[in-house]
Amino acid sequence: MQWTEFIVFTVLFLLVTVLGFFAAKWKQGDTLEHLDEWGLGGRKFGSWITWFLVGGDLYTAYTFVAVPALMFGAGAMGFFALPYTVILYPIVFLPLVRMWSVSRVHGYVTPADFVRGRYGSHWLALIIAVTGIVATMPYIALQLVGLEAVLRTMGLNGSGILGHLPLFVAFVVLALYTYQSGLRAPALIAFVKDTLIYLVIIVAVIYLPSKFGGWGEIFGDAQAKFDATPTPADGTLLNANNQLQYATLALGSALALFLYPHSLTGILASRGRKVIKRNMVALPAYSLLLGLLALLGYVAISAGVKPITNQATGRPDTNTIVPVLFGQEFPSWFAGIAFAAIGIGALVPAAIMSIAAANLWTRNIYKEYVKKDATPAQEAKQAKLASLVVKFGAVAFILFIDPQFSIDLQLIGGVMILQTLPAVAIALYTRWFHVWGMIAGWVVGMGWGMYLLYTIPNAAAGKNHFGGSALALDKLSLLGWHPFGGSTVQIYVGFVSLVANILVAVVVTLIARRMRVFNGTDQTTPADYHVDEDSPRVKVIAGH
């Protein structure tokens, strides 16, 4: 047990817990018994709050634990996260502004609300809602993995139920202050989380390279390690087999990120279009942070870091790479700060994700199918209860999938959420796709995507399924025909399934249009997509 690190971690954890409960009174409205107040913070966050909230939402344990672990284990392939965040913001700049406008005019809280209003189809909205909830589960599980890696590094590495007790306690505390304060809790805590993260990374990228002879030596040590491994897939440079995977993974991840309900929650909570535009310009600053964090995977190689063995599986836990590096190379007190930064960095997005999933349950399942006349107070109550269930439901992804790299939890969720792109993103600009075309495309894309993920073996766990999201082209088949037979080039499963989704949606749409099948009723108008925060309609919605 590393007591100094544990005490520092506990003090900072208690600090953010107090902030989490205090947040209920921060920028409070008339009541938290309204989904706009509990789930969207009253829709009144300014530029700075939105920057910290969305940054804390998007740059998660995925950033602090999973990406460096992938760099440590696979090399250059793990660096896909940097170009993906570089191309992300130009892609989503205008769509997010349009989504904010139409959502503010009509009081939409979730992407499924938008789909319901755009097409008048409760079935399509239900599909989008269920997809959002299920795709968010592995993302929350990734946060749990990151927090557990920190606890394990500090010596809380037991087995069985008691071994997971510290993690359980942390999530209970998270659940309680999220239940009470809603989105205001992670928004306020994000200030502390990002301050700690920037402090730790600035110190790490200045101090650690100088300790190991500079970046040239570090890259040399990394290449030497990969040269000594039997697999040709790793290395400090991409090879012919994984270049296509790298490109499709970066593009697919960029398209997927703001389809996640938790990403849109941070955007819809902002005060206006100008706030969103400023943030789309400023948020790439986090990409610099991400690139520096990723390189810590190579630093860990030079430092001779050995991952801690997971007592439950008996295998080395690569997710502990960065925590072990900090504990090994920093003084105990500063390592405690670093552990707290990673732990809090996992709790903030987990809170936002659970709130977003709870909003989907409340608005698009409970109110649509269970209690159509639910009052605002009943909606808020349902969302609070659902946020508790979602957090602990995420544990199932860890227990049943057991991925080779924790980053695969996020990539599996990405395959799912990409299937909502036609209904959520493309529909912001055109209603050309028919409702039944989008439903058929979703069925094919989701079904094929899950099947392909199921067929990928997990070498580390010795299992035949869910071993990642990289698929060899020779495994692709169409009714027994292998168009890429013998090719070992890999591609991202999410990209393949999205192409299938769109192709099917196009074909079914053409058929439906030719048969003149009714395409639902659009409740939005062109003016709704350009309204700004000063519009009288916006002020009515904001005042409930």
Side-chain angles (χ1 to χ4, degrees), residues 371-413:
K371 191 173 179 61
K372 289 183 178 292
D373 60 346
T375 65
Q378 289 172 327
E379 285 185 19
K381 184 70 173 180
Q382 274 293 313
K384 291 178 180 180
L385 294 173
S387 72
L388 301 178
V389 175
V390 168
K391 288 182 183 68
F392 296 99
V395 178
F397 278 87
I398 296 177
L399 297 178
F400 294 111
I401 295 181
D402 187 23
Q404 181 174 359
F405 293 104
S406 61
I407 201 170
D408 289 324
L409 288 167
Q410 189 263 349
L411 298 180
I412 290 171

Short mmCIF file of all heavy atoms in Angstrom, two decimals, residues 371-413:
data_model
loop_
_atom_site.label_atom_id
_atom_site.label_comp_id
_atom_site.label_asym_id
_atom_site.label_seq_id
_atom_site.Cartn_x
_atom_site.Cartn_y
_atom_site.Cartn_z
N LYS A 371 -45.24 6.78 -19.76
CA LYS A 371 -46.10 7.82 -19.17
C LYS A 371 -46.04 9.07 -20.03
O LYS A 371 -45.21 9.95 -19.83
CB LYS A 371 -45.65 8.12 -17.73
CG LYS A 371 -46.63 8.99 -16.95
CD LYS A 371 -46.21 9.12 -15.50
CE LYS A 371 -47.16 10.01 -14.70
NZ LYS A 371 -48.54 9.47 -14.68
N LYS A 372 -46.95 9.13 -20.99
CA LYS A 372 -46.94 10.23 -21.95
C LYS A 372 -47.22 11.58 -21.30
O LYS A 372 -46.79 12.62 -21.80
CB LYS A 372 -47.96 9.98 -23.06
CG LYS A 372 -47.57 8.86 -24.01
CD LYS A 372 -48.58 8.72 -25.13
CE LYS A 372 -48.18 7.63 -26.11
NZ LYS A 372 -47.00 7.99 -26.89
N ASP A 373 -47.98 11.58 -20.19
CA ASP A 373 -48.33 12.83 -19.54
C ASP A 373 -47.42 13.15 -18.36
O ASP A 373 -47.82 13.86 -17.43
CB ASP A 373 -49.78 12.79 -19.07
CG ASP A 373 -50.04 11.66 -18.08
OD1 ASP A 373 -49.17 10.76 -17.96
OD2 ASP A 373 -51.11 11.67 -17.42
N ALA A 374 -46.18 12.62 -18.39
CA ALA A 374 -45.23 12.86 -17.28
C ALA A 374 -44.99 14.36 -17.10
O ALA A 374 -44.79 15.10 -18.07
CB ALA A 374 -43.92 12.14 -17.54
N THR A 375 -45.02 14.80 -15.84
CA THR A 375 -44.73 16.19 -15.54
C THR A 375 -43.22 16.43 -15.57
O THR A 375 -42.44 15.47 -15.51
CB THR A 375 -45.26 16.55 -14.14
OG1 THR A 375 -44.53 15.78 -13.16
CG2 THR A 375 -46.74 16.26 -14.02
N PRO A 376 -42.78 17.69 -15.65
CA PRO A 376 -41.33 17.95 -15.60
C PRO A 376 -40.66 17.36 -14.37
O PRO A 376 -39.54 16.85 -14.45
CB PRO A 376 -41.26 19.48 -15.60
CG PRO A 376 -42.48 19.90 -16.35
CD PRO A 376 -43.54 18.92 -15.96
N ALA A 377 -41.34 17.40 -13.22
CA ALA A 377 -40.77 16.84 -11.99
C ALA A 377 -40.62 15.32 -12.11
O ALA A 377 -39.62 14.74 -11.65
CB ALA A 377 -41.63 17.20 -10.80
N GLN A 378 -41.60 14.66 -12.72
CA GLN A 378 -41.52 13.21 -12.91
C GLN A 378 -40.41 12.85 -13.89
O GLN A 378 -39.73 11.83 -13.72
CB GLN A 378 -42.87 12.67 -13.38
CG GLN A 378 -43.94 12.71 -12.31
CD GLN A 378 -45.31 12.35 -12.85
OE1 GLN A 378 -45.65 12.64 -14.02
NE2 GLN A 378 -46.13 11.72 -12.02
N GLU A 379 -40.25 13.65 -14.91
CA GLU A 379 -39.15 13.42 -15.85
C GLU A 379 -37.81 13.52 -15.14
O GLU A 379 -36.93 12.66 -15.32
CB GLU A 379 -39.18 14.46 -16.98
CG GLU A 379 -40.26 14.24 -18.01
CD GLU A 379 -40.16 15.23 -19.15
OE1 GLU A 379 -39.09 15.84 -19.33
OE2 GLU A 379 -41.15 15.40 -19.85
N ALA A 380 -37.63 14.56 -14.33
CA ALA A 380 -36.37 14.73 -13.61
C ALA A 380 -36.12 13.57 -12.66
O ALA A 380 -34.98 13.09 -12.54
CB ALA A 380 -36.38 16.05 -12.84
N LYS A 381 -37.15 13.09 -12.00
CA LYS A 381 -37.01 11.96 -11.07
C LYS A 381 -36.57 10.71 -11.82
O LYS A 381 -35.69 9.98 -11.37
CB LYS A 381 -38.35 11.72 -10.38
CG LYS A 381 -38.32 10.61 -9.32
CD LYS A 381 -37.54 11.03 -8.10
CE LYS A 381 -37.66 10.01 -6.99
NZ LYS A 381 -36.90 10.41 -5.78
N GLN A 382 -37.19 10.44 -12.96
CA GLN A 382 -36.81 9.28 -13.77
C GLN A 382 -35.36 9.38 -14.22
O GLN A 382 -34.61 8.40 -14.20
CB GLN A 382 -37.72 9.19 -14.99
CG GLN A 382 -39.01 8.45 -14.75
CD GLN A 382 -38.80 6.98 -14.46
OE1 GLN A 382 -38.05 6.29 -15.16
NE2 GLN A 382 -39.45 6.48 -13.43
N ALA A 383 -34.95 10.57 -14.65
CA ALA A 383 -33.58 10.75 -15.12
C ALA A 383 -32.58 10.49 -14.00
O ALA A 383 -31.54 9.86 -14.21
CB ALA A 383 -33.39 12.16 -15.69
N LYS A 384 -32.88 10.97 -12.81
CA LYS A 384 -31.99 10.75 -11.68
C LYS A 384 -31.83 9.27 -11.37
O LYS A 384 -30.72 8.78 -11.14
CB LYS A 384 -32.52 11.49 -10.44
CG LYS A 384 -32.45 13.01 -10.55
CD LYS A 384 -33.04 13.67 -9.31
CE LYS A 384 -32.96 15.19 -9.41
NZ LYS A 384 -33.53 15.84 -8.19
N LEU A 385 -32.95 8.55 -11.36
CA LEU A 385 -32.89 7.11 -11.08
C LEU A 385 -32.15 6.36 -12.19
O LEU A 385 -31.34 5.47 -11.93
CB LEU A 385 -34.31 6.55 -10.92
CG LEU A 385 -35.09 7.06 -9.70
CD1 LEU A 385 -36.53 6.56 -9.75
CD2 LEU A 385 -34.42 6.61 -8.41
N ALA A 386 -32.42 6.75 -13.43
CA ALA A 386 -31.76 6.08 -14.56
C ALA A 386 -30.26 6.31 -14.54
O ALA A 386 -29.48 5.43 -14.92
CB ALA A 386 -32.36 6.58 -15.88
N SER A 387 -29.83 7.49 -14.10
CA SER A 387 -28.39 7.77 -14.05
C SER A 387 -27.68 6.83 -13.09
O SER A 387 -26.50 6.51 -13.28
CB SER A 387 -28.15 9.23 -13.64
OG SER A 387 -28.43 9.45 -12.28
N LEU A 388 -28.37 6.38 -12.05
CA LEU A 388 -27.78 5.42 -11.11
C LEU A 388 -27.62 4.05 -11.77
O LEU A 388 -26.58 3.40 -11.65
CB LEU A 388 -28.65 5.29 -9.86
CG LEU A 388 -28.89 6.56 -9.03
CD1 LEU A 388 -29.81 6.25 -7.86
CD2 LEU A 388 -27.58 7.13 -8.53
N VAL A 389 -28.65 3.63 -12.49
CA VAL A 389 -28.64 2.30 -13.11
C VAL A 389 -27.56 2.22 -14.20
O VAL A 389 -26.84 1.22 -14.30
CB VAL A 389 -30.03 1.98 -13.71
CG1 VAL A 389 -29.99 0.65 -14.47
CG2 VAL A 389 -31.08 1.96 -12.61
N VAL A 390 -27.45 3.27 -14.99
CA VAL A 390 -26.51 3.26 -16.12
C VAL A 390 -25.08 3.07 -15.64
O VAL A 390 -24.31 2.31 -16.24
CB VAL A 390 -26.65 4.56 -16.94
CG1 VAL A 390 -25.50 4.71 -17.91
CG2 VAL A 390 -27.96 4.57 -17.69
N LYS A 391 -24.69 3.76 -14.58
CA LYS A 391 -23.31 3.68 -14.10
C LYS A 391 -22.90 2.25 -13.80
O LYS A 391 -21.83 1.79 -14.20
CB LYS A 391 -23.13 4.54 -12.85
CG LYS A 391 -23.17 6.03 -13.09
CD LYS A 391 -22.94 6.77 -11.79
CE LYS A 391 -23.04 8.28 -11.98
NZ LYS A 391 -24.39 8.72 -12.30
N PHE A 392 -23.76 1.55 -13.10
CA PHE A 392 -23.37 0.21 -12.68
C PHE A 392 -23.66 -0.84 -13.76
O PHE A 392 -23.07 -1.91 -13.75
CB PHE A 392 -24.08 -0.13 -11.37
CG PHE A 392 -23.66 0.77 -10.24
CD1 PHE A 392 -24.43 1.85 -9.86
CD2 PHE A 392 -22.45 0.58 -9.60
CE1 PHE A 392 -24.03 2.72 -8.86
CE2 PHE A 392 -22.03 1.43 -8.59
CZ PHE A 392 -22.82 2.50 -8.21
N GLY A 393 -24.52 -0.50 -14.72
CA GLY A 393 -24.72 -1.39 -15.85
C GLY A 393 -23.49 -1.48 -16.73
O GLY A 393 -23.27 -2.48 -17.42
N ALA A 394 -22.66 -0.42 -16.70
CA ALA A 394 -21.44 -0.40 -17.51
C ALA A 394 -20.46 -1.48 -17.10
O ALA A 394 -19.63 -1.92 -17.90
CB ALA A 394 -20.77 0.97 -17.42
N VAL A 395 -20.55 -1.95 -15.87
CA VAL A 395 -19.62 -2.98 -15.38
C VAL A 395 -19.75 -4.25 -16.21
O VAL A 395 -18.78 -4.99 -16.38
CB VAL A 395 -19.89 -3.28 -13.89
CG1 VAL A 395 -18.97 -4.38 -13.37
CG2 VAL A 395 -19.72 -2.02 -13.07
N ALA A 396 -20.94 -4.52 -16.75
CA ALA A 396 -21.16 -5.74 -17.52
C ALA A 396 -20.24 -5.82 -18.73
O ALA A 396 -19.82 -6.92 -19.12
CB ALA A 396 -22.62 -5.80 -17.98
N PHE A 397 -19.89 -4.68 -19.33
CA PHE A 397 -19.01 -4.70 -20.50
C PHE A 397 -17.61 -5.19 -20.13
O PHE A 397 -16.94 -5.84 -20.92
CB PHE A 397 -18.95 -3.31 -21.13
CG PHE A 397 -20.10 -3.02 -22.04
CD1 PHE A 397 -21.27 -2.49 -21.54
CD2 PHE A 397 -20.02 -3.29 -23.39
CE1 PHE A 397 -22.34 -2.23 -22.37
CE2 PHE A 397 -21.08 -3.04 -24.23
CZ PHE A 397 -22.25 -2.51 -23.72
N ILE A 398 -17.17 -4.86 -18.92
CA ILE A 398 -15.86 -5.33 -18.48
C ILE A 398 -15.90 -6.82 -18.18
O ILE A 398 -15.01 -7.59 -18.54
CB ILE A 398 -15.40 -4.55 -17.24
CG1 ILE A 398 -15.21 -3.07 -17.59
CG2 ILE A 398 -14.10 -5.11 -16.69
CD1 ILE A 398 -14.84 -2.21 -16.41
N LEU A 399 -16.99 -7.26 -17.53
CA LEU A 399 -17.08 -8.65 -17.09
C LEU A 399 -17.25 -9.61 -18.27
O LEU A 399 -16.68 -10.70 -18.28
CB LEU A 399 -18.26 -8.81 -16.12
CG LEU A 399 -18.15 -8.03 -14.81
CD1 LEU A 399 -19.41 -8.24 -13.97
CD2 LEU A 399 -16.91 -8.46 -14.03
N PHE A 400 -18.02 -9.19 -19.29
CA PHE A 400 -18.36 -10.12 -20.36
C PHE A 400 -17.50 -9.98 -21.61
O PHE A 400 -17.39 -10.91 -22.39
CB PHE A 400 -19.83 -9.97 -20.73
CG PHE A 400 -20.77 -10.38 -19.63
CD1 PHE A 400 -21.53 -9.45 -18.97
CD2 PHE A 400 -20.86 -11.71 -19.24
CE1 PHE A 400 -22.38 -9.81 -17.94
CE2 PHE A 400 -21.71 -12.09 -18.22
CZ PHE A 400 -22.48 -11.15 -17.56
N ILE A 401 -16.89 -8.80 -21.82
CA ILE A 401 -16.09 -8.60 -23.03
C ILE A 401 -14.60 -8.77 -22.76
O ILE A 401 -13.89 -9.39 -23.52
CB ILE A 401 -16.40 -7.22 -23.66
CG1 ILE A 401 -17.85 -7.19 -24.14
CG2 ILE A 401 -15.46 -6.91 -24.80
CD1 ILE A 401 -18.26 -5.89 -24.80
N ASP A 402 -14.10 -8.22 -21.65
CA ASP A 402 -12.69 -8.36 -21.26
C ASP A 402 -11.77 -8.04 -22.44
O ASP A 402 -11.07 -8.91 -22.96
CB ASP A 402 -12.44 -9.79 -20.75
CG ASP A 402 -11.02 -9.93 -20.17
OD1 ASP A 402 -10.45 -8.90 -19.77
OD2 ASP A 402 -10.51 -11.06 -20.14
N PRO A 403 -11.74 -6.79 -22.91
CA PRO A 403 -10.99 -6.46 -24.12
C PRO A 403 -9.48 -6.53 -23.94
O PRO A 403 -8.97 -6.47 -22.82
CB PRO A 403 -11.41 -5.02 -24.40
CG PRO A 403 -11.74 -4.47 -23.05
CD PRO A 403 -12.35 -5.60 -22.28
N GLN A 404 -8.75 -6.70 -25.06
CA GLN A 404 -7.30 -6.77 -25.02
C GLN A 404 -6.71 -5.44 -24.57
O GLN A 404 -5.81 -5.39 -23.75
CB GLN A 404 -6.77 -7.15 -26.40
CG GLN A 404 -5.25 -7.29 -26.48
CD GLN A 404 -4.80 -7.80 -27.82
OE1 GLN A 404 -5.61 -8.08 -28.69
NE2 GLN A 404 -3.50 -7.94 -28.00
N PHE A 405 -7.23 -4.34 -25.12
CA PHE A 405 -6.85 -3.00 -24.70
C PHE A 405 -8.12 -2.28 -24.26
O PHE A 405 -9.17 -2.42 -24.89
CB PHE A 405 -6.18 -2.22 -25.83
CG PHE A 405 -4.84 -2.77 -26.25
CD1 PHE A 405 -4.72 -3.49 -27.43
CD2 PHE A 405 -3.72 -2.57 -25.47
CE1 PHE A 405 -3.48 -4.00 -27.82
CE2 PHE A 405 -2.48 -3.07 -25.85
CZ PHE A 405 -2.37 -3.79 -27.02
N SER A 406 -8.02 -1.48 -23.19
CA SER A 406 -9.20 -0.79 -22.71
C SER A 406 -9.78 0.16 -23.76
O SER A 406 -10.97 0.43 -23.77
CB SER A 406 -8.87 -0.02 -21.43
OG SER A 406 -7.88 0.96 -21.67
N ILE A 407 -8.93 0.63 -24.68
CA ILE A 407 -9.41 1.55 -25.71
C ILE A 407 -10.45 0.88 -26.62
O ILE A 407 -11.28 1.54 -27.23
CB ILE A 407 -8.22 2.08 -26.55
CG1 ILE A 407 -8.61 3.39 -27.24
CG2 ILE A 407 -7.73 1.04 -27.55
CD1 ILE A 407 -7.43 4.09 -27.88
N ASP A 408 -10.41 -0.46 -26.68
CA ASP A 408 -11.39 -1.18 -27.50
C ASP A 408 -12.81 -1.00 -26.97
O ASP A 408 -13.77 -1.14 -27.73
CB ASP A 408 -11.03 -2.67 -27.56
CG ASP A 408 -9.80 -2.93 -28.40
OD1 ASP A 408 -9.61 -2.22 -29.40
OD2 ASP A 408 -9.01 -3.82 -28.05
N LEU A 409 -12.96 -0.69 -25.68
CA LEU A 409 -14.29 -0.42 -25.15
C LEU A 409 -14.89 0.80 -25.85
O LEU A 409 -16.06 0.80 -26.22
CB LEU A 409 -14.21 -0.17 -23.63
CG LEU A 409 -13.93 -1.40 -22.76
CD1 LEU A 409 -13.57 -0.96 -21.35
CD2 LEU A 409 -15.13 -2.33 -22.75
N GLN A 410 -14.07 1.83 -26.03
CA GLN A 410 -14.55 3.03 -26.72
C GLN A 410 -14.78 2.76 -28.20
O GLN A 410 -15.74 3.24 -28.78
CB GLN A 410 -13.54 4.16 -26.53
CG GLN A 410 -14.04 5.52 -27.02
CD GLN A 410 -13.57 5.86 -28.42
OE1 GLN A 410 -12.70 5.18 -28.97
NE2 GLN A 410 -14.13 6.88 -29.02
N LEU A 411 -13.91 1.96 -28.81
CA LEU A 411 -14.04 1.69 -30.25
C LEU A 411 -15.26 0.83 -30.55
O LEU A 411 -15.90 0.98 -31.59
CB LEU A 411 -12.76 1.03 -30.76
CG LEU A 411 -11.49 1.88 -30.61
CD1 LEU A 411 -10.29 1.12 -31.14
CD2 LEU A 411 -11.64 3.22 -31.32
N ILE A 412 -15.61 -0.09 -29.63
CA ILE A 412 -16.82 -0.89 -29.80
C ILE A 412 -18.04 0.02 -29.74
O ILE A 412 -18.98 -0.10 -30.54
CB ILE A 412 -16.89 -1.99 -28.73
CG1 ILE A 412 -15.82 -3.06 -29.00
CG2 ILE A 412 -18.27 -2.64 -28.68
CD1 ILE A 412 -15.65 -4.07 -27.89
N GLY A 413 -18.05 0.94 -28.77
CA GLY A 413 -19.14 1.91 -28.70
C GLY A 413 -19.20 2.77 -29.94
O GLY A 413 -20.29 3.14 -30.41
#
